[in-house]
Every structure is written in structure tokens, then in C-alpha cells.
């Protein structure tokens, strides 16, 4: 499959729904496949990803600080629910925002998410020590909903600007997550030291940086006119359920989604617990303060590297390979005891998880046969990803327990992420089988029966 199929063809000018219903032709802006306006939109999406998933991916710094300093009356498992809920909502909101994007509500969702994100992060600065519910409501629930309103729509809008270069545009825009996950830990680790004397000041510092990123994103991102897509009926009513059922009957997409759910249930273990693990094993404090900086620097390199090989190797093979390497680095958490082991896991995990997440949206594009269902399919994909990110960290925290039994969560996370990686490797095989023509000659069948 080619990503160029996302362009609106002449045959698509008469809209056809998933159940065969047809609507009137709609005039839309032609996909220009680049240009200044398009690349400025890519830059804007990158900044939004920095402020959304970049912030969420830095929760490991909060997990360490809350566990040791600020919320000492709660278990690591309970504290991890803040980060896991935020990640869940950022992804799961796509189940709603995808079809809403298809119906043309991009601007409403974008501006609503912008204001709510900033509000919730400033409210976080009012949370009192050992009041977990206050952190949970502002950082977990509120910011998760806000980020979910802007995450999928900003990625999907790239399909309005690019025809043949969608994979490249999505990879570049997706690197914003890694850049944000690089910058935020620097800000937070600086803020949580003696140089910034209070948690409220640290929270306001990160909130102000988020405000700056989202404001710049609003100025850069531009929307084009697109038709209502196949997830709506001729009367304009959403048909999310029908589209979901049709997607689940698509075997390659179903395998991809289930594999993603298992994979994300395991890979958040290093993201949430690596810094705490290093602290408890008495790794050099100077290195620990830059641990997530190193990890996310490798995420940037790993996330941009597919640009060089995506055409020659292919998205599906690259995402399966990066998933396998990531799962291996999760298993390696079993051997974390010193500085050398921590550094190796940090570099390998950061590099391959960066490659994986930048390839996630292009892989979903390849598995979407009808371009008018792209928003809905991205929403389904993000929802499966959200389920894994919701259940994984709390299970890992429960296995870790207050006694810090490190091998149990490492084994659990390594096994489930490995199973997910194997599922990704099966997707190209299933795709080829589903594309094989079923050429059966009825006359030859009758003669053979005789």
C-alpha cells in the first residue's frame, strides 16, 4: 500500500460510506503535497506534540519526586495512576476526537484542549503535599482530557497537506514528543532541586513552558476544507460503531491494534520507573539527573532515523524491528545494578522507542484502505494504545510493591512487550494474505466435482 492513497481521487468525489450509502459530491481543496503552509503546519504539530505527549512522557521525573518527596503517604502503584491515566486519556480520546475531526470540528477541539491544558497545569501548582487526589484530578484527569482533544486531530490534519510525503511529515511531527520528553525532564529536574525551592514554583514553570509551545502551535497550524468522511451517514450522524465493527473485521488492523495494546502495557516500565530504580540502586546522582535527557536525546535520533530508510525498508518492517529491540531493553531491566547497566538501558530503550512511536501513525495510515476513515481508525488505534498505557504502570507498581522487588515488574513488562512485538511482525504477513486475489473459476469447480 502507498500513503498516497490518502489523496482525494476523482472516484472519491461521490462519497460512499462503510455500508454503501452515497452522498453528494463535495468540492475540497487539493492536496498540494508540501509548500510553506504545509511545512509550517508540521512545525506547529511538532510543538503541540512537545507540549502534549512530551510532557506526559516525562512523568518518570514526577513519579520519582512524588514517591520520595511530595506524596510519601501513597504507594508507587497508586502514584503511577496519575501518569497512566493521563497517557490513557491522551490516547483514548481519539475514539471520540477521530470521528469529530472527520466531521470538521478540528478548531473547536484544538482551542478547547489548548485552554484546558494550560488551566490544569497551573492548577497542579495548587496541589498540597500528600494530597494525591489533587494531583490526580489536575495532572491525571484534567490534563489527560485536554491533551486528548488536540493529540489525534493535529496528527490527522497533516493528511490535508501531504499526498506522497505523509509518512515523512508524520515522522518529523512525531519527533516533537521526543524533543518534549528531552526538554521537560531538564526543566523539572532543575526545578526540583534547591534552585527552585517549592513544588508550586516548579509546576508553574512547566505550565508556562507548555503555554508557550501551544500558543506557537496555534499560530502555525492551518486547516484545509475536507469532505465529511465515511464515519458519517448521509444525514451527517456519526456511525462510529459500524466503522469500528468493520475495522475489527480487518484482520491485519485487528492484529496491529491488539499487539499495540500488549506492547504499551510493558514499555512504560522504563519510562516510569527507570529513574526510581537507578536511585534505589545508588547509581551516581549526577548521571541520574540527566537520565531522561539522555534517553530522550536518543528518542530524537531514533525517531528521525526512519526518514532515511522508510522507503527502502518499509514502515511495517521497521516498526516490528524497533518493537522487538524495545522489548529486549525492557527485559534488560532485570540486570540493572550499576551505572553501566543504567546507561546501556537508557540509550537502547530511548533509541528504539523513539523510532517506534514516530512510525505508529504512518503504520496506521498503511492499514487504512478508505482515506475517509483515517480519523476514526487513528482513534481506534490510539484507544488500544491507551488501554495498555492505563493498566501497565499500575500493575508494574503493584508488582514492585513498597518493598521494591524489581524483578517481578521487569519480567511482566518484558513478556507482554515481547508478545506485542511478535504481533507487529505478523502484520505484514496478514496484510499480504488479505490482498491475495480470490480467483476461483466456477466452471472448473463444477467439472472437478463431476
Amino acid at each position: 500500500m502507498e500513503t498516497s492513497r490518502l489523496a482525494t481521487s476523482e472516484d472519491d468525489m461521490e462519497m460512499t460510506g462503510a455500508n454503501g450509502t452515497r452522498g453528494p459530491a463535495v468540492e475540497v481543496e487539493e492536496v498540494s503535497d508540501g509548500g510553506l503552509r504545509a511545512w509550517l503546519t508540521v512545525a506547529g504539530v511538532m510543538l503541540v506534540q512537545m507540549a502534549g505527549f512530551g510532557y506526559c512522557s516525562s512523568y518518570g521525573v514526577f513519579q520519582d519526586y512524588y514517591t520520595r518527596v511530595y506524596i510519601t503517604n501513597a504507594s508507587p502503584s497508586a502514584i503511577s495512576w496519575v501518569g497512566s491515566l493521563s497517557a490513557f486519556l491522551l490516547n483514548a480520546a481519539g475514539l471520540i476526537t477521530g470521528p469529530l475531526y472527520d466531521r470538521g470540528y478540528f478548531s473547536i477541539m484544538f482551542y478547547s484542549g489548548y485552554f484546558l491544558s494550560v488551566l490544569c497545569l497551573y492548577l497542579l501548582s495548587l496541589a498540597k503535599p500528600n494530597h494525591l487526589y489533587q494531583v490526580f484530578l489536575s495532572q491525571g484527569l484534567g490534563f489527560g482530557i485536554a491533551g486528548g482533544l488536540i493529540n489525534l486531530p493535529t496528527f490527522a490534519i497533516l493528511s490535508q497537506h501531504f499526498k506522497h510525503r505523509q509518512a515523512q511529515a508524520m515522522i518529523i511531527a512525531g519527533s516533537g514528543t521526543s524533543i518534549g520528553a528531552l526538554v521537560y525532564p531538564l526543566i523539572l529536574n532543575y526545578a526540583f532541586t534547591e534552585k527552585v525551592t517549592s513544588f508550586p514554583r516548579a509546576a508553574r514553570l512547566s505550565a508556562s513552558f507548555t503555554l508557550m509551545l501551544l500558543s506557537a502551535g496555534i499560530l502555525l497550524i492551518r486547516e484545509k476544507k475536507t469532505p465529511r468522511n465515511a464515519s458519517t451517514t448521509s444525514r451527517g450522524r456519526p456511525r462510529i460503531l459500524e466503522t469500528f465493527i468493520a475495522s475489527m473485521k480487518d484482520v491485519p488492523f485487528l492484529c496491529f491494534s491488539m499487539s499495540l495494546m500488549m506492547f504499551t502495557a510493558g514499555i512504560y516500565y522504563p519510562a516510569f520507573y527507570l529513574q526510581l530504580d537507578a536511585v534505589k540502586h545508588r547509581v551516581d546522582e549526577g548521571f541520574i539527573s540527566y537520565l531522561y535527557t539522555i534517553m530522550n536525546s536518543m528518542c530524537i535520533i531514533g525517531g528521525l532515523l526512519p526518514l532515511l530508510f522508510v522507503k527502502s525498508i518499509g514502515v511495517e518492517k521497521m516498526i516490528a524491528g524497533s518493537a522487538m529491540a524495545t522489548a529486549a531493553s525492557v527485559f534488560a531491566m532485570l540486570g540493572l545494578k550499576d551505572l553501566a547497566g543504567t546507561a546501556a538501558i537508557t540509550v537502547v530503550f530511548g533509541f528504539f522507542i523513539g523510532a517506534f512511536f514516530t512510525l505508529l501513525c504512518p503504520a496506521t495510515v498503511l492499514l487504512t484502505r478508505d482515506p475517509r476513515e483515517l480519523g476514526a481508525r487513528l482513534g481506534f488505534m490510539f484507544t488500544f494504545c491507551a488501554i495498555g498505557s492505563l493498566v501497565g504502570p499500575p500493575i508494574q507498581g503493584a508488582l514492585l510493591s513498597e518493598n521494591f522487588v524489581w524483578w517481578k515488574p521487569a519480567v511482566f513488562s518484558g513478556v507482554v512487550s515481547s508478545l506485542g512485538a511478535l504481533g507487529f511482525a505478523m502484520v505484514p504477513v496478514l496484510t499480504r494474505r488479505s490482498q491475495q486475489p480470490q480467483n476461483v473459476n466456477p466452471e472448473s469447480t463444477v467439472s472437478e466435482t463431476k
Side-chain angles (χ1 to χ4, degrees), residues 304-437:
L304 294 176
L305 192 64
L307 287 171
L308 303 176
F309 304 103
V310 67
K311 289 186 177 180
S312 58
I313 298 178
V315 172
E316 291 173 322
K317 292 181 181 178
M318 291 188 70
I319 199 170
S322 61
M324 291 178 183
T326 302
S329 67
V330 173
F331 258 125
M333 290 279 287
L334 280 167
L336 193 153
K337 294 180 180 179
D338 52 21
L339 176 60
T342 305
I345 294 171
T346 301
V347 170
V348 174
F349 176 81
F351 180 85
F352 286 105
I353 199 62
F356 175 83
F357 276 116
T358 54
L359 291 166
L360 196 54
C361 285
T364 306
V365 170
L366 290 179
L367 294 171
T368 303
R369 297 180 180 180
D370 188 345
R372 294 163 303 201
E373 294 182 353
L374 177 60
R377 286 238 177 173
L378 284 172
F380 302 149
M381 180 272 293
F382 277 120
T383 301
F384 279 96
C385 182
I387 295 172
S389 64
L390 177 67
V391 302
I395 292 174
Q396 292 151 4
L399 293 172
L400 180 61
S401 74
E402 296 180 358
N403 296 322
F404 298 104
V405 183
W406 293 103
W407 69 268
K408 290 183 179 180
V411 170
F412 165 78
S413 303
V415 169
V416 295
S417 57
S418 297
L419 291 174
L422 290 174
F424 291 129
M426 288 295 299
V427 170
V429 178
L430 296 173
T431 301
R432 286 194 295 269
R433 288 184 178 180
S434 66
Q435 292 175 344
Q436 289 179 354

Side-chain angles (χ1 to χ4, degrees), residues 10 18 30 41 107 167-168 175 186 197 235 255 263 269 294 300 303 319 323 370 418 432:
E10 294 179 359
E30 183 181 356
T41 298
S107 296
Q168 291 88 337
S175 67
L186 286 173
T197 57
R235 295 181 181 181
C255 178
F263 184 72
Y269 178 53
I294 297 171
I300 297 173
I319 199 170
D370 188 345
S418 297
R432 286 194 295 269

Side-chain angles (χ1 to χ4, degrees), residues 47-59 61-62 121 143 176-192 203 205-214 292-293 296:
L47 293 174
V48 170
Q49 292 299 311
M50 287 178 62
F53 259 116
Y55 181 89
C56 183
S57 299
S58 305
Y59 184 74
V61 180
F62 285 104
L121 291 186
F143 182 77
T177 297
S178 300
I179 297 173
L182 167 66
V183 176
Y184 274 106
L186 286 173
I187 295 173
L188 293 169
N189 278 315
Y190 167 83
F192 289 150
L205 181 62
S206 62
S208 298
F209 184 66
T210 303
L211 172 62
M212 180 185 69
L213 293 176
L214 291 178
Y292 284 108
T293 302
N296 293 302

Side-chain angles (χ1 to χ4, degrees), residues 73-266:
N73 63 338
S75 67
S77 179
I79 293 172
S80 70
W81 276 104
V82 176
S84 63
L85 178 66
S86 179
F88 170 78
L89 292 173
L90 273 164
N91 288 303
L95 192 61
I96 299 174
T97 59
L100 287 177
Y101 166 82
D102 292 333
R103 298 191 67 187
Y105 294 105
F106 171 80
S107 296
I108 295 175
M109 291 187 291
F110 191 23
Y111 285 104
S112 299
Y114 165 76
F115 288 112
L116 187 58
S117 295
V118 175
L119 174 64
C120 289
L121 291 186
Y122 277 110
L123 288 176
L124 177 63
S125 67
L126 303 179
K128 297 179 180 180
N130 293 322
H131 285 65
L132 178 60
Y133 78 94
Q134 296 178 354
V135 175
F136 182 83
L137 290 175
S138 57
Q139 188 175 13
L141 181 62
F143 182 77
I145 294 173
L149 288 172
I150 59 180
N151 177 46
L152 184 150
T154 52
F155 253 118
I157 204 171
L158 294 174
S159 65
Q160 299 180 12
H161 295 275
F162 293 91
K163 180 179 179 181
H164 299 290
R165 300 178 181 177
Q166 281 191 34
Q168 291 88 337
M170 286 184 172
I171 288 172
I172 294 173
S175 67
T177 297
S178 300
I179 297 173
L182 167 66
V183 176
Y184 274 106
L186 286 173
I187 295 173
L188 293 169
N189 278 315
Y190 167 83
F192 289 150
T193 63
E194 296 179 357
K195 297 177 181 179
V196 178
T197 57
S198 66
F199 174 77
R201 290 179 61 187
R204 286 193 294 269
L205 181 62
S206 62
S208 298
F209 184 66
T210 303
L211 172 62
M212 180 185 69
L213 293 176
L214 291 178
S215 299
I218 283 179
L219 295 176
L220 294 173
I221 293 175
R222 290 292 179 269
E223 182 183 14
K224 287 186 175 182
K225 295 179 180 179
T226 56
R228 288 181 177 179
N229 89 23
S231 62
T232 60
T233 64
S234 57
R235 295 181 181 181
R237 297 177 182 176
R239 297 194 308 103
I240 300 175
L241 181 59
E242 289 87 341
T243 308
F244 178 76
I245 294 174
S247 298
M248 292 302 99
K249 291 181 180 180
D250 185 347
V251 177
F253 183 77
L254 177 61
C255 178
F256 182 83
S257 300
M258 297 301 294
S259 300
L260 180 62
M261 182 174 64
M262 298 192 68
F263 184 72
T264 52

